[in-house]
Amino acid sequence: MHTEAQLDDIARGCGLSYGEVVQDAEEKRLLFLYRVAPKPEQRHCVYQWARRNHLTLVVINAVNDGPPPPDPEAPKS
C-alpha cells in the first residue's frame, strides 16, 4: 500500500493534480486514476508506474459534464 504523498508525487510527475491517483485499502492491487478525459501520455505515465509496482491501473472517466438525459416517462410539452 502506498502513502497518499507517494501517490500525489506520481500524479504530479505525470501531469495530474493531487488526489487524481488513488489506491484503495480493500483493493491493494488496483491503482485508480480519476480524471475526465486524461491525455494518453498521462494514462501511459501512470500505467508504467503501476506496472513497475505490480498494480493494475483502473481509469475512472465517469463524470458527466452535460445535462442529464430526458426522462422517457415524462410527458412531452
Side-chain angles (χ1 to χ4, degrees):
M1 188 75 188
H2 295 85
T3 67
E4 189 174 325
Q6 289 173 318
L7 297 174
D8 284 341
D9 285 345
I10 297 309
R12 300 284 293 171
C14 291
L16 301 163
S17 297
Y18 293 111
E20 290 185 326
V21 177
V22 179
Q23 190 177 15
D24 186 14
E26 292 184 21
E27 294 292 339
K28 294 178 175 96
R29 305 294 273 162
L30 300 179
L31 186 68
F32 294 92
L33 169 58
Y34 289 96
R35 181 161 179 117
V36 176
K39 296 178 182 174
E41 52 273 2
Q42 292 170 323
R43 277 194 321 266
H44 185 70
C45 178
V46 177
Y47 169 78
Q48 286 180 321
W49 186 87
R51 187 168 180 199
R52 282 193 306 269
N53 288 277
H54 310 286
L55 300 171
T56 300
L57 178 62
V58 179
V59 179
I60 307 295
N61 185 14
V63 177
N64 186 359
D65 289 336
D71 185 3
E73 299 294 322
K76 296 181 181 179
S77 48

